[in-house]
Amino acid sequence: MLTRAPDPKQVSATGKTAAGMGWLCCLTVVLLLAGCSTYRPTRPGEKVYRDVLFAAPGGHKLRMDLYVPQTDKPAPVVMWMFGGCWRFGSKGYHVIMRDLTSAGIAVASIQYRMSNCAVYPAQLEDCRAAAQWLRDNGARYGIEAKRMGASGESSGGQLAALLAATEGKSRIQAVCALYPVTDLIELGSLYEKRSVGLNLIEKLLGGSIEKKTELAADASPVFHIRPSLPPFLIIHGERDRIIPVEHSEWFFQALEEARVEAQLIVVPDKGHWFRLNNEQFAEVSRFFQVHLAR
């Protein structure tokens, strides 16, 4: 199901000045958050476990924060992957899914290696390690990881989609992707025309897309679509200049063609990196409650 405003304006692939300013705004927001982010306090009816070590690839310690509702039975869990161009960010801020605890769903906000530390597929490997750690250890924290969803924004949305593609529907039951990267090859072509942003993709891949085409395709969720994928809820701003909304539209269309349950919500007058309003978050909450039910 596609939900969007009538007669939406198309996002132009040209306009270097506007695109460049969009990238600068995106990076500025991320850096500001990284410099002054603070944890929100624990809420009534919720228990928080911070900095839980789940892996240490090459000695690089990776941790997660667990937000667990205090219920009389183990809670399903949604893994949250932050965005930040694969280069910036941390598990401790902009945890959009945090409020799922009020619906009886735990949230695991995970750290993964940045592109200045390791190239792809290290980021996906870290997500898979976190998912396996939750399956092995979640019960000790009141989590039933057999009922697991994945979510992320921007580059984190890419990782959430890839995690579902590699783990399968039996292990990841639902995905909510917010303005996700879905096709690195197409996005790289767009950034090359704009002369901005391409270096972030090349840093992730460890080389140019021309030299790393196979790896770029492997890192693109659109090339992993098959009928066995779990249900998807995709949310994207209509005026996004960082990752144009067409990327989610193409991804959604491919999911539908593969007969994968999917919904796309296009939010009018929103660009990249925005908070969900109450109505939008309620839709996300309903989505996970339905698909992570016993």
Side-chain angles (χ1 to χ4, degrees):
M1 179 172 66
L2 169 63
T3 305
R4 69 176 300 148
D7 300 322
K9 296 179 181 179
Q10 294 297 311
V11 178
S12 175
T14 61
K16 294 182 180 180
T17 301
M21 288 301 295
W23 263 105
L24 288 174
C25 289
C26 173
L27 296 180
T28 300
V29 168
V30 171
L31 290 171
L32 285 173
L33 286 170
C36 61
S37 61
T38 57
Y39 291 114
R40 288 192 289 174
T42 303
R43 303 167 181 170
E46 173 190 80
K47 194 158 187 178
V48 179
Y49 304 90
R50 300 205 187 280
D51 296 320
V52 180
L53 182 69
F54 69 86
H60 190 91
K61 293 183 179 180
L62 299 174
R63 302 179 187 274
M64 67 173 70
D65 295 334
L66 300 174
Y67 304 89
V68 184
Q70 293 180 327
T71 58
D72 58 358
K73 56 184 178 181
V77 63
V78 170
M79 282 180 52
W80 171 254
M81 280 67 84
F82 61 86
C85 315
W86 310 282
R87 180 64 179 83
F88 311 100
S90 172
K91 61 181 175 57
Y93 60 77
H94 215 235
V95 186
I96 295 176
M97 296 298 133
R98 164 78 182 272
D99 290 340
L100 286 175
T101 57
S102 63
I105 299 173
V107 177
S109 182
I110 74 163
Q111 194 74 34
Y112 55 88
R113 284 171 286 176
M114 300 287 92
S115 59
N116 65 326
C117 175
V119 299
Y120 185 85
Q123 295 73 24
L124 177 58
E125 291 169 353
D126 295 344
C127 294
R128 298 195 69 183
Q132 189 56 51
W133 186 94
L134 286 166
R135 296 184 188 103
D136 294 338
N137 300 279
R140 295 193 286 120
Y141 296 87
I143 292 172
E144 184 183 347
K146 289 182 179 179
R147 295 185 290 155
M148 184 183 297
S151 185
E153 60 182 347
S154 193
S155 53
Q158 168 216 22
L159 292 174
L162 290 171
L163 178 66
T166 54
E167 295 277 299
K169 184 163 55 177
S170 64
R171 295 164 73 84
I172 303 294
Q173 283 87 40
V175 177
C176 176
L178 309 178
Y179 32 93
V181 176
T182 61
D183 187 338
L184 282 178
I185 297 174
E186 183 65 30
L187 194 62
S189 177
L190 175 62
Y191 290 165
E192 186 174 19
K193 294 175 184 176
R194 292 175 169 178
S195 300
V196 63
L198 183 61
N199 63 311
L200 294 168
I201 297 177
E202 293 176 341
K203 188 71 173 178
L204 175 71
L205 300 175
S208 68
I209 293 178
E210 289 77 11
K211 294 180 179 179
K212 301 284 186 178
T213 303
E214 186 174 341
L215 186 63
D218 189 58
S220 300
V222 74
F223 293 107
H224 293 273
I225 292 176
R226 56 185 183 275
S228 59
L229 289 180
F232 271 76
L233 172 60
I234 309 162
I235 302 177
H236 209 123
E238 180 184 352
R239 298 184 182 274
D240 194 336
R241 290 184 176 274
I242 307 300
I243 305 170
V245 67
E246 285 89 352
H247 285 253
S248 279
E249 292 174 337
W250 298 331
F251 187 59
F252 168 71
Q253 182 179 356
L255 288 169
E256 282 208 317
E257 290 174 355
R259 299 188 180 277
V260 175
E261 181 180 342
Q263 179 182 1
L264 170 62
I265 298 175
V266 177
V267 184
D269 300 320
K270 290 294 185 181
H272 200 69
W273 198 276
F274 61 91
R275 285 195 176 276
L276 304 179
N277 63 28
N278 291 339
E279 181 180 352
Q280 292 156 1
F281 188 82
E283 185 67 29
V284 173
S285 181
R286 285 192 293 269
F287 172 76
F288 280 123
Q289 287 181 68
V290 167
H291 293 293
L292 301 184
R294 290 186 181 274

